[in-house]
């Protein structure tokens, strides 16, 4: 059983599970400690929160600090259209924020706050075996839940950053449903995006829907074929504007993202019927990918021809170009 947060040396990058009555909240620790009493700052659903530890009552008081992302944040400028999408739907997002904050309890027992994961733990897991975040889910796989679900996007980004996958999609803005959570605010996604923007070996293509109703970042290695493949997905609005209902688009997107072929086929057949994708569809996808780049995908993409792993981007270097 995870230990209560008050009993551990909570650090930035830790993931907290907060149990309150019938609700469970997952928060990313952004600063710790921020007081001699052991108070910590966390990020949850795009909000910065302060958890003040009360040793006498053995509890945490939760208070709102501010938004995770502000208009002047350089991260927003690294992804064209993101700030505009947030500005355009500012009123709806503010209403959603108030609804989210109203769900939080004001005070919780310290024993109900547990450390259930961390960035360093996730880095170790991805480094040991990244398949969970690279190959897609198969028909016999249980869908991720709990903290595993919350950290799925972070794992996919780490897999990209460490060269284990060539393309990763991150939904920056879901604007067609004001009640939907924003996936970009899942634990650790924002700090990993900050790493990505300083990596000179990565680039981004923006996939958008008209009117700012959806915006997805197609992050990829600059190495071919990944760069051209990611740009192609962005060109027709994958995830942001296009719902991949047809076998063609499901197969195309699945192959670009590096999923296992049997997982892609099982997914297509579950929704489009047996016998799919047809030979004609498979041939069409293969022609399209070949036309985009003559290079064959090779992973890890950050390994040189001599078998040496390239170093990641350092702070201060310009990435995502």
């Amino acid at each position: 059983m995870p230990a209560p947060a008050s009993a551990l040396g909570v650090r930035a990058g830790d993931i907290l599970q907060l149990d309150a009555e019938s609700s469970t909240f997952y928060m990313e620790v952004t600063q710790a400690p921020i007081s001699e009493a052991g108070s910590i700052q966390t990020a949850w659903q795009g909000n910065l929160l302060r958890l003040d530890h009360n040793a006498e009552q053995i509890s945490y008081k939760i208070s709102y600090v501010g938004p995770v992302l502000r208009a002047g944040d350089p991260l927003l400028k690294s992804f064209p259209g993101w700030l505009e999408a947030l500005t355009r739907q500012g009123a709806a997002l503010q209403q959603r924020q108030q609804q989210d904050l109203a769900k939080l309890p004001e005070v919780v027992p310290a024993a109900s706050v547990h450390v259930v994961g961390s960035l360093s733990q996730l880095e170790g897991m991805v480094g040991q075996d990244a398949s969970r975040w690279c190959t897609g889910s198969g028909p016999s796989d249980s869908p991720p839940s709990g903290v595993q679900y919350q950290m799925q996007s972070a794992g996919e980004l780490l897999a990209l950053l460490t060269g284990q996958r060539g393309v990763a999609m991150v939904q920056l803005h879901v604007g067609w449903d004001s009640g939907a959570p924003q996936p970009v605010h899942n634990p650790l996604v924002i700090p990993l995006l900050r790493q990505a923007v300083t990596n000179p070996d990565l680039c981004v293509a923006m996939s958008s829907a008209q009117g700012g109703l959806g915006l997805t970042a197609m992050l990829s290695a600059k190495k071919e074929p990944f760069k051209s493949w990611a740009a192609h997905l962005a060109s027709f609005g994958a995830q942001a504007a296009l719902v991949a209902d047809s076998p063609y688009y499901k197969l195309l997107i699945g192959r670009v993202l590096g999923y296992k072929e049997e997982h892609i086929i099982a997914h297509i057949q579950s929704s489009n019927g047996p016998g799919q994708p047809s030979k004609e569809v498979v041939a069409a996808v293969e022609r399209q990918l070949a036309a985009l780049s003559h290079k064959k995908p090779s992973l890890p993409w950050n390994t040189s021809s001599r078998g040496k792993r390239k170093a990641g981007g350092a702070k201060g270097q310009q990435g995502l170009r």
Side-chain angles (χ1 to χ4, degrees):
M1 179 178 179
S6 57
L8 300 176
V10 180
R11 299 173 299 175
D14 284 349
I15 306 302
L16 302 183
Q17 177 179 310
L18 188 155
D19 297 312
E21 297 182 354
S22 59
S23 299
T24 299
F25 306 92
Y26 293 95
M27 301 179 180
E28 169 198 334
V29 178
T30 59
Q31 293 184 48
I34 55 174
S35 74
E36 292 183 359
S39 299
I40 56 179
Q41 182 172 280
T42 68
W44 174 74
Q45 294 295 317
N47 305 295
L48 289 176
L49 306 173
R50 181 181 173 114
L51 275 62
D52 287 307
H53 185 235
N54 187 315
E56 293 183 1
Q57 298 180 6
I58 317 178
S59 64
Y60 281 104
K61 179 183 178 182
I62 304 175
S63 57
Y64 175 70
V65 176
V68 170
L69 295 172
R70 299 181 183 274
D73 194 315
L75 186 66
L76 292 172
K77 298 179 181 179
S78 298
F79 298 94
W82 194 5
L83 178 59
E84 290 78 5
L86 296 178
T87 303
R88 189 180 296 111
Q89 293 200 318
L93 292 173
Q94 187 174 17
Q95 182 180 13
R96 171 60 195 265
Q97 177 195 54
Q98 295 303 317
Q99 293 171 347
D100 285 341
L101 293 173
K103 299 174 184 177
L104 289 170
E106 293 184 5
V107 178
V108 294
S112 69
V113 182
H114 304 281
V115 177
V116 294
S118 69
L119 175 58
S120 60
Q121 180 189 50
L122 185 62
E123 287 173 337
M125 294 170 67
V126 172
Q128 184 175 13
D129 181 7
S131 59
R132 182 191 302 178
W133 301 279
C134 296
T135 62
S137 58
S140 61
D141 296 332
S142 300
S145 60
V147 68
Q148 187 182 72
Y149 172 79
Q150 292 289 319
M151 296 176 70
Q152 182 66 29
S153 293
E156 293 174 1
L157 273 173
L158 264 177
L160 172 68
L161 285 163
T162 56
Q164 301 306 308
R165 63 183 295 165
V167 180
M169 298 193 299
V170 179
Q171 275 188 298
L172 302 180
H173 181 62
V174 177
W176 59 83
D177 182 359
S178 60
Q182 300 294 329
V184 73
H185 289 305
N186 284 351
L188 302 176
V189 173
I190 292 294
L192 288 173
L193 284 178
R194 295 192 191 280
Q195 286 189 34
V197 300
T198 65
N199 191 317
D201 296 317
L202 296 180
C203 58
V204 65
M206 302 303 295
S207 176
S208 62
Q210 289 186 351
L213 294 181
L215 188 68
T216 292
M218 300 292 175
L219 291 154
S220 74
K222 286 183 177 177
K223 189 175 182 180
E224 292 292 351
F226 306 115
K227 181 178 181 179
S228 293
W229 286 3
H232 182 64
L233 294 192
S235 72
F236 59 79
Q239 194 180 66
L242 173 81
V243 178
D245 281 334
S246 72
Y248 173 84
Y249 281 112
K250 288 176 181 175
L251 181 61
L252 176 69
I253 294 171
R255 286 195 175 179
V256 167
L257 294 179
Y259 295 159
K260 275 188 176 181
E261 189 74 4
E262 56 263 38
H263 292 175
I264 302 172
I265 300 302
H267 175 63
I268 292 172
Q269 292 182 349
S270 68
S271 54
N272 297 97
Q276 295 293 337
S278 66
K279 292 180 180 180
E280 292 77 13
V281 166
V282 173
V285 168
E286 291 177 348
R287 285 195 302 271
Q288 178 64 80
L289 294 177
L292 292 169
S293 175
H294 68 277
K295 295 285 188 179
K296 298 293 183 182
S298 177
L299 295 172
W301 57 260
N302 56 351
T303 299
S304 69
S305 58
R306 296 181 180 180
K308 294 183 179 180
R309 188 69 61 88
K310 294 176 66 178
K315 289 184 178 180
Q317 289 182 297
Q318 190 68 39
L320 295 190
R321 291 291 183 270

